[in-house]
Every structure is written in structure tokens, then in C-alpha cells.
């Protein structure tokens, strides 16, 4: 069974601070996706990384896939209240194209 | 209009009742999924379907059943609801030609008393 562990589980910071969220596994994934979920809504895809060592940037968000494709990180620069939400990582490449989800990091950015 | 819709958005029911949660999509995707989300447990897969004739159990299918009425419709039933089925339920779709990205509906919040 493939498992993804996310840390921290909760994070509360002030506007303007930087933060990093981690997603780790002992298993290799063919791809790693990051989703953001806002209250009352379903998760929405932010990015997919597929190559070991890959780095992708989405405005103030930087995503990295580990060289061994077992871990990933999400770094947010100068966080804003609009970044508040639940961040979920999901590993792909399992049987029948199912995704394995981490338990999520609940981020609160205070103004 | 939303591509993946779920009805109802909120539901309160009593222990032992049978209820159905419905999911419809206009994305034209063959693959559909049902998840439940609980605080601290993340998203857990209940059932998934890769086409109308293909239904598969996920990691927590006990107490649930599904029906794929058409490519666009995938329903989840709780045959006899119990309080520990209180959760947020999500439907999702995917297209293998678009990688493994899943597109989620807005969720159904279910409370079993």
C-alpha cells in the first residue's frame, strides 16, 4: 500500500511570511499532484510534477519533485490571506490510475 | 456552469435509512470516482468506475454501493446509514488522455443521526 505523509498538518502564519509544506513517501510515484481545497468546495489541481528533480513555479508557489520521485514540497513566498486553504498532495502511477492522497495541510494566512 | 455537480449539497438522515448521493458531469470523461473526506484522514476512495460497465471497489467500500447509469452519471448509495458515515463526500472525474488529473465536484455534506 502506497502512503503519502504530509507535514505539517496545520500551519497558521501572518501575511507576508514564507512557508514550506512537505509530502513524503517510501514509495516511488510516476507523478505527484498538488491540489488546493477551499471551504465548501472540492479540491482543485494546482500542478503536476512528473520528472525527478523537477521544479515548477506558479506565481508565488514553487513545487519540487524529489530526485527519487518519493517526495515533494510546496513553497509559498510572501503568503497572502487568499492562500488560505487545505493543500493536498496526491501520488499517481498506482494500479489502474488511482491517486493516493495525503491527509492534507490546513494553511491559515492571517492579515 | 460547473463541470461536475453533486446533489444534494447537504443531507441529514437517520440511522438505518437508505440514501443516494448523485453525481453528474459534462466533461465527457469515462472515469468517475467517489471519495469521502474526514478531518485528519484525508480523501479515501470508496468506489471508482472506468466506464459504464466497469465498477471497482476502493479502499473503504463496505456499507456503500454505486450505480453508473450513464457515462455522465455515477450515484453512491448508503444502504443503511450509520453515524460513522457522517462525512463530506466528493465525486471526481478523470480522462486518461489528460494524465491523472482528477476534477472534483463541490461535495455533499452528510450527517447521519
Amino acid at each position: 500500500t502506497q502512503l503519502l505523509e504530509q507535514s505539517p498538518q496545520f500551519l497558521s502564519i501572518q501575511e507576508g511570511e514564507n512557508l514550506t509544506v512537505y509530502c513524503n513517501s517510501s514509495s516511488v510515484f510516476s507523478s505527484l499532484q498538488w491540489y488546493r481545497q477551499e471551504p465548501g468546495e472540492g479540491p482543485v489541481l494546482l500542478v503536476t510534477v512528473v520528472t525527478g528533480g523537477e521544479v515548477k513555479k506558479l506565481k508565488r508557489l514553487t513545487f519540487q519533485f524529489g530526485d527519487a520521485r518519493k517526495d515533494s514540497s510546496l513553497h509559498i513566498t510572501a503568503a497572502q490571506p487568499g492562500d488560505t486553504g487545505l493543500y493536498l498532495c496526491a501520488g499517481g502511477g498506482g494500479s489502474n490510475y488511482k491517486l493516493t492522497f495525503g491527509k492534507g495541510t490546513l494553511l491559515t494566512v492571517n492579515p | 456552469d460547473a463541470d461536475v455537480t453533486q446533489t444534494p449539497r447537504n443531507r441529514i438522515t437517520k440511522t438505518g435509512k437508505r440514501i443516494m448521493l448523485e453525481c453528474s458531469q459534462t466533461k465527457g470523461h469515462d472515469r468517475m470516482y467517489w471519495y469521502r473526506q474526514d478531518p485528519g484522514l484525508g480523501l479515501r476512495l470508496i468506489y471508482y468506475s472506468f466506464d459504464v460497465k466497469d465498477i471497482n471497489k476502493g479502499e473503504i467500500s463496505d456499507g456503500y454501493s454505486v450505480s453508473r447509469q450513464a457515462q455522465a452519471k455515477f450515484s453512491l448509495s448508503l444502504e443503511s446509514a450509520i453515524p460513522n458515515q457522517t462525512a463530506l463526500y466528493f465525486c471526481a472525474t478523470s480522462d486518461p488522455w489528460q494524465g491523472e488529473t482528477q476534477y472534483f465536484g463541490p461535495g455533499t455534506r452528510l450527517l447521519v443521526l
Side-chain angles (χ1 to χ4, degrees), chain A:
Chain A
T1 302
Q2 295 179 309
L3 295 175
L4 276 170
E5 294 186 4
Q6 283 190 243
S7 61
Q9 187 176 358
F10 301 97
L11 189 55
S12 180
I13 62 171
Q14 294 299 121
E15 182 175 1
E17 293 183 0
N18 302 331
L19 67 113
T20 303
V21 175
Y22 299 94
C23 178
N24 297 299
S25 176
S26 58
S27 302
V28 175
F29 291 97
S30 63
S31 69
L32 203 295
Q33 302 180 6
W34 285 93
Y35 292 79
R36 181 168 68 203
Q37 183 180 4
E38 299 185 19
E41 299 180 9
V44 176
L45 181 72
L46 294 173
V47 77
T48 300
V49 285
V50 297
T51 304
E54 182 176 3
V55 177
K56 281 192 174 180
K57 292 190 175 184
L58 185 65
K59 296 184 180 179
R60 294 175 293 98
L61 278 61
T62 301
F63 304 85
Q64 185 164 8
F65 202 12
D67 291 341
R69 291 186 288 130
K70 293 182 178 181
D71 54 85
S72 181
S73 63
L74 159 60
H75 182 79
I76 301 179
T77 303
Q80 299 177 0
D83 295 326
T84 293
L86 179 68
Y87 289 80
L88 296 160
C89 64
S95 61
N96 293 321
Y97 297 95
K98 291 183 292 181
L99 292 177
T100 300
F101 281 89
K103 295 180 180 180
T105 294
L106 185 60
L107 171 65
T108 302
V109 182
N110 302 296

Side-chain angles (χ1 to χ4, degrees), chain A residues 9 30-31 33 35 37 40-43 45 48 86 88 92-94 96-99 101-103, chain B residues 9 31 33 35 37 40-43 45 48 50 57 88 90 100-107 109:
Chain A
Q9 187 176 358
S30 63
S31 69
Q33 302 180 6
Y35 292 79
Q37 183 180 4
E41 299 180 9
L45 181 72
T48 300
L86 179 68
L88 296 160
N96 293 321
Y97 297 95
K98 291 183 292 181
L99 292 177
F101 281 89
K103 295 180 180 180
Chain B
R9 293 295 312 277
R31 297 180 175 182
Y33 310 80
Y35 292 91
Q37 186 176 43
L41 295 179
L43 284 165
L45 184 63
Y48 62 102
F50 283 173
K57 293 182 177 180
L88 191 53
F90 287 102
E100 294 167 306
T101 303
Q102 293 191 7
Y103 299 87
F104 287 82
R109 188 171 297 278

